[in-house]
């Protein structure tokens, strides 16, 4: 057949290949010629991946037919068009980082084919047979790979091309000579990754790893080179997290040049993506460190915290609900890690885990790191003279020296903290005793949850650490100002171990949240009491920490009183909550009531009214406390009046059945019950009236009530919760066509005497119905028609 002269310079495919320079190919011309046969032709293939062309998965291995033809270049076309073409061998090929290898190294693929030996890579299509081939030219021959169809052929072609190019870039950028040329190659590498038709995570990650290795091995670059490289790789970071080494490079830039425009223009979208999409900072702690350094760099700008505030607002979004559920947990994790790092110089972790400083410098091996020093806080008696520390210069993290038998402990005293270093003998004894001993070693919370009013047990931070602490504590304050973030923030902040003023503002926001029931970022209902009380038994929550006498209380109990007020208004188990206060916080409540706090006066009155206190002496103490203030005396007199009315109401006598006329209201019911004795009332019908949950306060005064009909009223969940606490003897309850929901119906599980329950046409769900059946053994007559459980 006729032969044609094909030039690389005139071939569109090669034009696309050669427009991305490599250091090793800069001097290569475009006038190389190849002889091509008429029947065998190259298919024109556009390699730009940014358009709407075909997309391919990067191949790492696969089955394909292989044929190797050894020939001089001048006879290529004749051999390829020969009728007696060499035989094909099936091989399972693997595309490693350096070469093309076969799982069965025999025949044509007896030895691996290095990417460096591949001179040319072409797509071939045959006119006289349905064969789809990729041609790999090497010195002295050609390797033909035959796929089953054109798609697989193109997939092999692009994967081989990518592996070959990445191999060359990795080799060329390993030993750079001229940085101006290196910058061009980096831009070409980034452009190649962005335009590749391959779709795979490694397509963008491989260039980032190459560049991060280059930066790690050349730490003496100028600042301008740093910024040029960051700008060059910015397009790759729009949809990819930076690898760990690159994060360290970014951290260094943030620390050294916080006012650089690169921080705002390049790092901002990278950090935004990390906060929106990161699932676990534990897998890559350098991502968290980079985010911390970026925020600190923003704080170094002229506007300071105003810039940080705008950044936090941009992460939340302009609407009332943040569309990204991962932003809040990630921001809190960043803040907590930064705050903890401020105290690392003072507090040794008992689990011997690497510190953030060690993570930055490359985590040391376990056997190379110094063992933690046992610590014990000194809590001296204020009435006794304070001991003068003999060795004030010993750092807390210094190793224990070898001393003779039972030496006295050394005391480290900064101007704000007293810490005792246990010596070998006492430390070993302490470890054997375990954490249950009276002098057990303090954890981070023990060391840092210190009242600012107690100067002997607070920590003085260096100026830099104090700035870091102030920045991230203010971010927590900003987070608490968003209504949709506040419930989840409360649960995430439970382990916070320090009482800064900014943190107190956050807790105040939790306590003063006007919503009785809110929804967190996971679309689950969250009650306010879950934000303030402890999340686990035996662990103190904000409510315990800020109570009078608690380690964080520095305001004479004002915040504690605010918490009690909101909890009494939101927590439906009022009686249970009062019992817990009487058992654990009765002293603080009486102290605040003695100071005239109205909320605490109301609490003490409720304890007396609901017979929470059994001990007569304690009752007399509460009465004396109430009579000591004007507001307390007034409320106690009102309580006595209500008790007299209650006794008159519960006096034996009156009807056993009572039905109120339709359109009756809560006030009508209260007026009726105050008109005489209803101690014998067992059956009350309020069907088709206008009563609401407010009438529950009157219903719980009826001691003999066994049947209650609330059909077609506006009686809701709040009323059910109150009934469930006080009417344990109720047997029949009709809630047909009332606005009750699962939140109120679940409270009925404590009414073990219920045998008939009508929930027709309510918002009952199947799960709640199954739960009620399991917890109410006497329940025999149930109506759930026109509900989800029907």
């Amino acid at each position: 057949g006729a032969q044609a002269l094909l030039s690389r310079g005139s071939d569109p495919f090669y034009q696309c290949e050669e427009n991305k320079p490599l250091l090793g190919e800069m001097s290569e011309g475009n006038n190389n010629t190849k002889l091509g046969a008429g029947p065998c032709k190259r298919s024109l293939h556009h390699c730009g991946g940014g358009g709407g062309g075909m997309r391919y998965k990067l191949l790492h291995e696969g089955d394909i037919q292989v044929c190797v033809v050894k020939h001089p270049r001048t006879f290529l076309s004749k051999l390829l068009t020969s009728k007696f073409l060499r035989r094909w061998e099936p091989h399972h090929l693997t595309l490693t980082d350096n070469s093309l290898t076969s799982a069965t190294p025999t025949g044509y693929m007896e030895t691996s084919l290095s990417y460096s030996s591949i001179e040319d890579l072409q797509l071939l299509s045959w006119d006289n047979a349905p064969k789809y081939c990729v041609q790999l030219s090497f010195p002295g021959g050609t390797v033909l790979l035959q796929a089953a169809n054109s798609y697989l052929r193109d997939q092999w072609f692009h994967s081989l091309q990518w592996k070959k190019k990445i191999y060359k870039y990795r080799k060329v950028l390993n030993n750079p000579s001229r940085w101006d040329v290196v910058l061009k190659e980096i831009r070409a590498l980034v452009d190649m990754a962005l335009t590749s038709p391959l779709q795979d995570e490694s397509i963008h990650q491989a260039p980032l790893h190459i560049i991060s290795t280059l930066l790690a091995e050349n730490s003496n670059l100028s600042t301008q080179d740093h910024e040029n490289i960051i700008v060059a790789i910015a397009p790759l970071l729009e949809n990819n997290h930076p690898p760990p080494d690159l994060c360290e490079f970014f951290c260094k830039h943030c620390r050294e040049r916080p006012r650089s425009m690169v921080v705002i223009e390049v790092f901002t979208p990278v950090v935004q993506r990390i906060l929106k999409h990161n699932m676990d900072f534990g897998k890559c702690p350098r991502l968290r460190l980079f985010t911390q350094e970026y925020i600190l760099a923003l704080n170094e700008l002229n506007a300071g915290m105003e810039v940080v505030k705008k950044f936090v607002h941009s992460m939340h979004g302009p609407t009332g609900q943040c569309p990204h559920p991962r932003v809040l947990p990630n921001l809190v994790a960043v803040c907590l890690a930064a705050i903890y790092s401020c105290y690392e110089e003072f507090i040794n972790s008992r689990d011997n885990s690497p510190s953030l400083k060690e993570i930055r410098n490359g985590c040391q091996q376990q056997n190379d790191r110094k063992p933690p020093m046992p610590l014990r806080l000194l809590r001296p008696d204020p009435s006794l003279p304070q001991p003068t520390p003999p060795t004030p210069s010993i750092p807390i993290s210094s190793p224990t020296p070898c001393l003779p038998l039972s030496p006295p402990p050394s005391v480290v005293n900064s101007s704000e903290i007293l810490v005792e270093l246990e010596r070998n003998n006492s430390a070993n004894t302490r470890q054997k005793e375990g954490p249950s001993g009276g002098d057990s070693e303090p954890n981070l919370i023990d060391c840092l949850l210190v009242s600012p009013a107690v100067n002997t047990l607070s920590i003085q931070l260096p100026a830099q650490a104090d700035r870091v602490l102030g920045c991230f504590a203010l971010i927590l304050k900003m987070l608490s100002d968003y209504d949709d973030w506040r419930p989840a923030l409360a649960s995430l902040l439970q382990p916070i171990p320090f009482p800064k003023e900014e943190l107190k503002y956050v807790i105040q926001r939790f306590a003063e949240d006007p919503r009785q029931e809110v929804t967190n970022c996971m679309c689950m209902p969250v009650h306010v009491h879950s934000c303030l009380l402890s999340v686990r038994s035996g662990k103190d929550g904000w409510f315990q920490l800020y109570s009078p006498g608690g380690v964080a209380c520095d305001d004479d109990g004002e915040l504690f009183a605010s918490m009690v007020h909101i909890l009494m208004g939101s927590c439906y188990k009022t009686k249970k909550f009062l019992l817990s206060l009487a058992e654990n916080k009765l002293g603080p409540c009486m102290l605040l009531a003695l100071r005239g706090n109205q909320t605490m006066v109301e609490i003490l009155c409720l304890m007396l009214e609901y017979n929470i206190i059994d001990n007569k002496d304690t009752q007399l103490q509460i009465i004396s406390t109430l009579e000591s203030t004007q507001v307390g005396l007034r409320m106690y007199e009102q309580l006595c009046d209500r008790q007299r009315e209650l006794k008159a109401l519960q006096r034996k006598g009156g009807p056993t059945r009572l039905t109120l006329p339709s359109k009756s209201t809560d006030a009508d019911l209260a007026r009726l019950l105050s008109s005489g004795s209803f101690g014998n009332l067992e059956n009350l019908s309020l069907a088709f009236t206008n009563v609401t949950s407010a009438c529950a306060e009157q219903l719980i005064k009826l001691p003999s009530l066994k049947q209650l009909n609330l059909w077609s009223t506006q009686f809701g969940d709040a009323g059910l919760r109150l009934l469930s606490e006080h009417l344990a003897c109720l047997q029949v309850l009709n809630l047909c066509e009332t606005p009750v929901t699962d939140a109120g119906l679940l409270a009925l599980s404590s009414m073990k005497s219920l045998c008939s329950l009508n929930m027709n046409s309510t918002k009952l769900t199947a799960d709640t119905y199954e739960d009620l059946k399991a917890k109410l053994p006497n329940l025999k007559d149930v109506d759930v028609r026109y509900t989800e459980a029907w």
Side-chain angles (χ1 to χ4, degrees):
Q3 294 183 349
L5 186 65
L6 299 178
S7 170
R8 287 191 182 186
S10 61
D11 193 315
F13 172 73
Y14 274 98
Q15 289 178 2
C16 185
E17 282 291 297
E18 297 299 328
N19 64 359
K20 304 183 183 67
L22 283 172
L23 288 177
E25 299 176 356
M26 293 289 289
S27 60
E28 186 175 342
N30 293 335
N31 56 356
N32 295 336
T33 59
K34 287 188 179 293
L35 296 178
C40 178
K41 59 185 179 182
R42 296 188 200 130
S43 64
L44 302 183
H45 221 79
H46 299 286
C47 60
M54 296 289 290
R55 310 296 288 178
Y56 307 93
K57 181 72 175 175
L58 177 64
L59 276 175
H60 297 282
E61 59 180 339
D63 297 320
I64 199 168
Q65 298 289 324
V66 181
C67 178
V68 176
V69 182
K70 295 184 178 181
H71 59 83
R73 282 182 178 272
T74 54
F75 300 110
L76 171 61
S77 59
K78 183 181 295 184
L79 287 170
L80 292 180
T81 55
S82 172
K83 182 185 297 185
F84 307 103
L85 193 64
R86 297 292 189 268
R87 71 185 186 278
W88 294 89
E89 293 180 355
H91 282 274
H92 185 83
L93 300 184
T94 301
L95 284 72
T96 66
D97 291 338
N98 304 318
S99 61
L100 185 64
T101 61
S102 174
T104 55
T106 58
Y108 293 143
M109 298 301 297
E110 185 175 358
T111 59
S112 300
L113 182 62
S114 173
Y115 297 139
S116 60
S117 64
I118 299 177
E119 297 177 342
D120 191 17
L121 192 64
Q122 301 180 30
L123 287 173
L124 300 178
S125 63
W126 299 71
D127 287 343
N128 57 355
K131 297 179 180 179
Y132 304 95
C133 297
V134 178
Q135 173 188 328
L136 286 70
S137 299
F138 65 94
T142 298
V143 177
L144 298 178
L145 305 179
Q146 182 184 169
N149 52 57
S150 61
Y151 182 85
L152 287 176
R153 176 202 62 187
D154 295 347
Q155 190 177 17
W156 275 95
F157 169 75
H158 289 296
S159 299
L160 282 166
Q161 186 185 54
W162 173 261
K163 290 284 188 178
K164 179 176 179 292
K165 288 288 188 181
I166 286 295
Y167 173 77
K168 285 187 177 181
Y169 275 112
R170 188 179 290 114
K171 189 175 181 181
V172 167
L173 295 177
N174 189 30
N175 295 308
S177 56
R178 295 174 51 193
W179 281 102
D180 55 339
V181 179
V182 167
L183 187 59
K184 293 181 181 179
E185 298 304 328
I186 290 176
R187 290 171 180 160
L189 174 60
V190 172
D191 187 55
M192 183 186 74
L194 295 175
T195 57
S196 173
L198 295 173
Q199 283 185 324
D200 193 89
E201 182 181 356
S202 62
I203 298 302
H204 289 167
Q205 287 295 327
L208 290 176
H209 281 288
I210 292 175
I211 296 169
S212 63
T213 303
L214 172 69
L215 294 172
E217 295 175 354
N218 298 271
S219 57
N220 57 347
L221 291 177
S222 66
T223 302
Q224 188 60 43
D225 289 332
H226 281 178
E227 294 190 355
N228 291 336
I229 293 175
I230 292 173
V231 173
I233 64 177
L236 286 180
L237 298 174
E238 292 180 0
N239 297 309
N240 299 274
H241 289 338
D245 292 340
L246 205 56
C247 285
E248 178 60 30
F249 173 71
F250 290 169
C251 289
K252 181 180 178 182
H253 189 82
C254 287
R255 289 191 295 268
E256 295 179 352
R257 297 205 66 194
R259 295 173 178 267
S260 170
M261 288 306 298
V262 169
V263 174
I264 299 295
E265 296 178 355
V266 179
F267 289 168
T268 297
V270 178
V271 173
Q272 287 176 336
R273 187 183 188 280
I274 291 173
L275 292 176
K276 289 178 181 177
H277 301 289
N278 175 69
M279 298 300 294
D280 185 6
F281 278 128
K283 294 180 179 178
C284 188
R286 284 187 173 88
L287 285 178
R288 185 183 63 209
L289 289 171
F290 169 49
T291 307
Q292 292 174 18
E293 296 291 352
Y294 167 80
I295 292 175
L296 291 174
L298 294 184
N299 194 30
E300 291 294 325
L301 299 177
N302 292 335
M305 288 306 298
E306 286 298 320
V307 181
V308 177
K309 185 176 182 179
K310 290 180 180 178
F311 173 74
V312 172
H313 181 71
S314 70
M315 296 309 306
H316 179 275
T319 62
Q321 190 78 18
C322 178
H324 304 285
R326 293 300 309 167
V327 167
L328 178 65
N330 286 334
L331 270 175
V332 173
V334 169
C335 293
L336 296 189
I339 290 166
Y340 184 86
S341 66
C342 296
Y343 296 99
E344 279 189 309
E345 298 299 327
F346 299 96
I347 307 301
N348 290 304
S349 175
R350 296 309 307 155
D351 59 0
N352 206 20
S353 59
S355 65
L356 297 180
K357 185 179 295 183
E358 290 173 335
I359 293 175
R360 292 191 191 98
N361 300 329
C363 185
Q364 305 174 28
Q365 296 296 326
Q366 186 78 9
N367 54 2
D368 295 335
R369 300 177 61 247
K370 297 178 182 179
M373 179 60 54
L375 300 179
R376 181 163 61 88
L377 284 182
L378 295 180
R379 302 178 182 271
D381 189 346
S383 62
L384 298 178
Q386 301 298 325
T388 302
T391 55
S393 60
I394 298 178
I396 294 178
S397 58
S398 62
T400 305
C402 296
L403 295 174
L405 295 175
S406 301
S410 298
V411 178
V412 178
N413 183 16
S414 72
S415 61
E416 295 291 335
I417 186 172
L418 288 173
V419 179
E420 183 180 37
L421 300 183
E422 298 290 347
R423 298 308 183 188
N424 293 335
N425 295 337
S426 58
N428 294 335
T429 305
R430 182 68 46 79
Q431 291 176 355
K432 291 179 182 178
E433 291 176 358
S436 60
D439 292 330
S440 61
E441 298 167 352
N443 55 21
L444 185 63
I445 294 180
D446 295 329
C447 294
L448 302 182
L449 269 177
V450 178
S451 171
V454 186
N455 294 326
T456 56
L457 291 177
S458 61
I459 292 178
Q460 183 179 14
L461 297 176
Q464 177 60 27
D466 196 55
R467 284 194 295 269
V468 173
L469 180 61
C471 174
F472 288 97
L474 279 173
I475 292 179
L476 294 177
K477 180 179 178 181
M478 296 174 192
L479 299 180
S480 69
D481 288 332
Y482 292 93
D483 291 342
D484 59 318
W485 276 355
R486 199 174 300 129
L489 178 64
S491 59
L492 291 170
L493 287 187
Q494 286 291 342
I496 281 286
F498 67 100
K500 294 291 290 183
E501 292 182 1
E502 292 80 3
L503 180 64
K504 185 175 179 181
Y505 171 87
V506 176
I507 310 306
Q508 186 79 31
R509 295 287 289 169
F510 297 157
E512 295 177 353
D513 195 316
R515 298 165 295 175
Q516 293 190 2
E517 184 174 298
V518 290
T519 303
N520 64 6
C521 59
M522 304 301 293
C523 298
M524 297 293 291
V526 176
H527 293 280
V528 175
H529 65 78
S530 66
C531 302
L532 302 177
L533 301 178
S534 57
V535 292
R536 290 177 294 174
S537 59
K539 297 291 183 180
D540 289 340
W542 300 122
F543 182 73
Q544 289 80 12
L545 297 177
Y546 280 93
S547 63
V551 290
C553 180
D554 62 342
D555 57 359
D556 294 330
E558 292 181 6
L559 181 56
F560 174 73
S562 299
M563 293 184 185
V564 172
H565 179 75
I566 191 67
L567 287 171
M568 287 298 295
S570 63
C571 185
Y572 64 88
K573 290 191 178 297
T574 308
K575 196 170 185 178
K576 182 178 179 181
F577 180 63
L578 289 174
L579 281 169
S580 66
L581 282 179
E583 293 175 359
N584 304 312
K585 300 296 178 184
L586 182 58
C589 290
M590 293 176 63
L591 176 63
L592 292 175
L594 195 60
R595 294 173 180 172
N597 186 281
Q598 185 169 346
T599 299
M600 292 306 164
V601 170
E602 293 176 0
I603 292 294
L604 295 182
C605 290
L606 285 174
M607 288 181 180
L608 294 176
E609 185 173 2
Y610 292 160
N611 294 320
I612 300 296
I613 306 298
D614 295 328
N615 187 281
K616 296 296 183 183
D617 292 337
T618 305
Q619 290 180 4
L620 293 176
Q621 289 181 26
I622 293 177
I623 294 173
S624 299
T625 302
L626 293 173
E627 292 177 341
S628 301
T629 61
Q630 186 175 359
V631 61
L633 180 60
R634 184 180 71 253
M635 289 189 178
Y636 179 64
E637 291 175 351
Q638 294 173 356
L639 170 62
C640 294
D641 293 339
R642 290 198 302 271
Q643 291 294 96
R644 285 191 289 269
E645 294 175 359
L646 180 61
K647 289 182 179 179
L649 172 66
Q650 294 179 345
R651 190 178 299 118
K652 290 298 181 180
T656 57
R657 300 174 62 89
L658 180 63
T659 301
L660 262 68
S662 61
K663 308 302 181 182
S664 298
T665 64
D666 296 331
D668 297 330
L669 177 62
R671 192 178 301 110
L672 176 64
L673 294 181
S674 63
S675 62
S677 301
F678 290 89
N680 293 339
L681 185 62
E682 298 180 356
N683 189 324
L684 176 62
S685 176
L686 302 175
F688 305 105
T689 63
N690 293 332
V691 297
T692 64
S693 295
C695 74
E697 296 182 2
Q698 305 297 327
L699 298 178
I700 62 175
K701 299 176 182 179
L702 302 173
S704 303
L705 191 62
K706 296 179 180 179
Q707 300 180 29
L708 179 60
N709 188 352
L710 296 168
W711 188 2
S712 190
T713 63
Q714 294 301 309
F715 196 89
D717 293 336
L720 281 186
R721 293 163 180 165
L722 196 56
L723 294 183
S724 65
E725 292 183 0
H726 298 273
L727 294 183
C729 297
L730 197 65
Q731 299 176 359
V732 179
L733 180 60
N734 189 343
L735 299 172
C736 179
E737 297 181 9
T738 57
V740 294
T741 65
D742 286 347
L745 292 171
L746 282 172
L748 299 179
S749 59
S750 63
M751 304 177 72
K752 304 300 182 182
S753 299
L754 273 180
C755 57
S756 177
L757 181 59
N758 189 338
M759 297 175 286
N760 188 324
S761 303
T762 63
K763 296 180 181 179
L764 172 73
T765 63
D767 291 340
T768 300
Y769 177 51
E770 295 298 326
D771 187 69
L772 287 174
K773 287 197 302 181
K775 294 181 178 179
L776 297 176
N778 296 323
L779 194 61
K780 296 179 176 58
D781 183 14
V782 185
D783 188 350
V784 294
R785 289 176 296 172
Y786 307 107
T787 66
E788 185 182 311
W790 188 29

